[in-house]
Amino acid sequence: LGLLVEQQGSGAERYMGRVLSALTHSVTVSLSATETGGEWESIYHLLTAAEKLHAALAQLPHTPDYLSDVALLLCSRVLHHRHTWVQLAAARVLGRALGAIDPKAQGGVGLRKLLTACGGAFALVRGMCAQVASDSFDERLSEQVLRNLIHLCTALHHDRKLVKDSEVDAAHPEDGEDDDDDDDDEGGARG
C-alpha cells in the first residue's frame, strides 16, 4: 500500500480513505498476530505506508473516517510497541496527524477529536514519557517525540481543556495509594 501511495502521489486522493482504512484493519490484524507470536515487521511497514499516505495527501485529515482510523493506528499498543522501529513509525504518524490539524481551527474541535480518539492528550504525553524512559530510546525516536511534545504543548497552551482533571486523577491513584500507605506506616510507628 505504501508503494501504491508513492507511485500514485496526489492521484491516490480519490481512494485515500479506503487505503487508510485498509492500513488500519491490517494493523489491527497484525496486532492480533503479534499476540500469538507474529512479527513486528508488518506493523512497521503498515505504519510507514500510513506516513507516506499522510505525506502525499494533505486532504487526508479531512476524510470522514480519518479520526477513527488514525485512533486505531495510534492506539497505545502501537505507540508503546516493544520494537523501537514500530514506536518510531507510530511517532512519525502521530507527528503527521498532529501537524495536519490546526489546533485553533473551529475552536480546536479537530485536535480535541484526534486526541480523544487516541486516548486523550494526557495519555499521549504520558506514553511519550514512557518512551523516553525506555531502554530502547534512541536519537531518531527522541527527535520525533520532541516534535510531538512541542505540538502537544503548544496545543495545551492554547486550550487547557484538552487535558481533563479526571485523566490526571485517574493516572495517579497508585501514587495516592503509596502516599496513604506511607501515612499509615508513619501513623503506626508513632502510635
Side-chain angles (χ1 to χ4, degrees):
L1 290 174
L3 292 173
L4 170 75
V5 171
E6 279 185 326
Q7 292 299 316
Q8 294 291 315
S10 62
E13 192 167 323
R14 65 178 180 255
Y15 43 80
M16 64 185 160
R18 286 180 280 187
V19 171
L20 185 60
S21 291
L23 290 171
T24 301
H25 177 72
S26 298
V27 166
T28 304
V29 169
S30 295
L31 283 171
S32 298
T34 299
E35 290 173 357
T36 59
E39 298 298 323
W40 58 268
E41 290 93 341
S42 59
I43 298 171
Y44 169 75
H45 290 296
L46 291 165
L47 289 170
T48 301
E51 182 191 9
K52 290 175 183 176
L53 189 62
H54 274 89
L57 304 168
Q59 292 299 322
L60 184 64
H62 306 291
T63 59
D65 296 328
Y66 176 77
L67 291 175
S68 60
D69 287 337
V70 167
L72 289 171
L73 283 176
L74 299 175
C75 68
S76 62
R77 290 177 54 212
V78 175
L79 287 168
H80 308 134
H81 194 275
R82 62 178 162 61
H83 200 281
T84 307
W85 288 13
V86 173
Q87 288 180 17
L88 177 59
R92 288 193 311 246
V93 172
L94 176 61
R96 293 267 184 194
L98 289 171
I101 295 176
D102 181 358
K104 296 179 186 176
Q106 300 173 346
V109 171
L111 179 63
R112 198 171 304 117
K113 285 181 181 178
L114 173 65
L115 296 176
T116 301
C118 296
F122 186 76
L124 282 174
V125 170
R126 195 161 187 217
M128 286 183 232
C129 292
Q131 287 178 325
V132 170
S134 171
D135 292 337
S136 61
F137 192 65
D138 66 4
E139 185 178 341
R140 292 181 304 161
L141 183 55
S142 69
E143 290 172 1
Q144 187 61 55
V145 166
L146 179 61
R147 285 187 206 110
N148 294 348
L149 281 171
I150 289 170
H151 276 296
L152 283 171
C153 288
T154 302
L156 291 172
H157 176 73
H158 292 292
D159 185 0
R160 295 174 196 271
K161 294 177 185 175
L162 290 174
V163 175
K164 299 174 184 155
D165 291 338
S166 60
E167 291 176 330
V168 177
D169 292 341
H172 292 291
E174 297 165 2
D175 294 341
E177 289 172 8
D178 289 345
D179 291 343
D180 291 343
D181 291 343
D182 291 343
D183 293 341
D184 292 344
D185 291 342
E186 289 173 12
R190 288 183 203 144

